[in-house]
Amino acid sequence: MKFTFCPDCGERLIKKEIGDEGLMNYCKNCQKPIFDLFSTCIITLILNEEGQVALLRQNYISKEFYCLVAGYIKSGETAEETTFRETEEELGIKLLHTKFLKSYYYQKKDMLMLAFISKAASNEFRLSKEVDAAEWIPILQAKKLLREGSIAKQVVLDYLANLC
């Protein structure tokens, strides 16, 4: 979110040189810099015991490509808690554990996506209403089913690169 007015007092922001930050939004009334806001989300590569990855289809996102479990971090939640919650909500799967992989900036939606590698406790899907289909796919095949340039594909490629 790019601010034009101060979120505290409503005063129109000016541009002011602020130390190492450079030229940025500033509220003269509150006498403080105002930083732009962005959403923070998780995305997770979920693996089963056979090393297959859980891919899902959400037709409102794409009817052609699969994606990984992803979701917004709610207020008061850690990124790890969000990973467990989103996985159970979308796929009905409990996780044994999750480990941070890397962060990605998704410019199109102004999001910081925190990527995790997760281990599934079971293989049985119970899909939410927002998921149209899900499958366990061998990881090398999975990278072909994800949209080129997507964060999901980058997560799979980075995971595979870390195995070597």
Side-chain angles (χ1 to χ4, degrees):
M1 175 184 300
K2 311 278 188 223
F3 291 102
T4 304
F5 297 92
C6 177
D8 294 325
C9 73
E11 176 99 8
R12 181 176 281 280
L13 300 174
I14 63 166
K15 294 292 184 185
K16 182 176 179 179
E17 195 75 30
I18 309 286
D20 293 338
E21 301 299 329
L23 193 62
M24 62 178 299
N25 288 330
Y26 186 80
C27 178
K28 290 188 300 185
N29 187 49
C30 296
Q31 298 184 1
K32 67 179 183 180
I34 304 296
F35 291 86
D36 293 331
L37 297 178
F38 55 88
S39 300
T40 309
C41 303
I42 63 89
I43 185 166
T44 186
L45 177 84
I46 303 164
L47 298 165
N48 65 13
E49 287 187 9
E50 291 82 39
Q52 297 170 314
V53 61
L55 294 187
L56 54 142
R57 284 239 183 175
Q58 294 177 296
N59 290 337
Y60 72 95
I61 294 173
S62 174
K63 292 184 182 196
E64 185 180 351
F65 296 104
Y66 285 86
C67 59
L68 300 175
V69 168
Y72 290 92
I73 298 174
K74 292 181 178 179
S75 182
E77 241 179 5
T78 66
E80 292 81 2
E81 289 167 341
T82 303
T83 302
F84 280 85
R85 177 183 54 77
E86 285 288 341
T87 301
E88 192 161 357
E89 284 177 5
E90 292 184 8
L91 298 179
I93 291 177
K94 291 192 181 292
L95 298 177
L96 296 171
H97 57 81
T98 192
K99 181 180 176 186
F100 181 72
L101 173 68
K102 184 178 176 179
S103 63
Y104 302 85
Y105 182 70
Y106 184 35
Q107 186 172 358
K108 182 179 175 182
K109 294 197 176 183
D110 205 17
M111 297 171 151
L112 178 64
M113 299 195 78
L114 306 177
F116 290 86
I117 305 301
S118 301
K119 181 74 172 175
S122 72
N123 284 344
E124 297 297 319
F125 296 124
R126 284 186 335 276
L127 305 181
S128 78
K129 292 177 186 167
E130 66 181 63
V131 177
D132 296 294
E135 294 181 54
W136 290 106
I137 305 286
I139 190 115
L140 293 176
Q141 183 184 345
K143 67 181 184 176
K144 298 174 189 166
L145 300 171
L146 300 167
R147 185 179 55 76
E148 197 63 45
S150 68
I151 301 293
K153 185 153 191 163
Q154 291 176 49
V155 170
V156 169
L157 293 175
D158 285 341
Y159 171 75
L160 289 170
N162 284 334
L163 291 179
C164 300

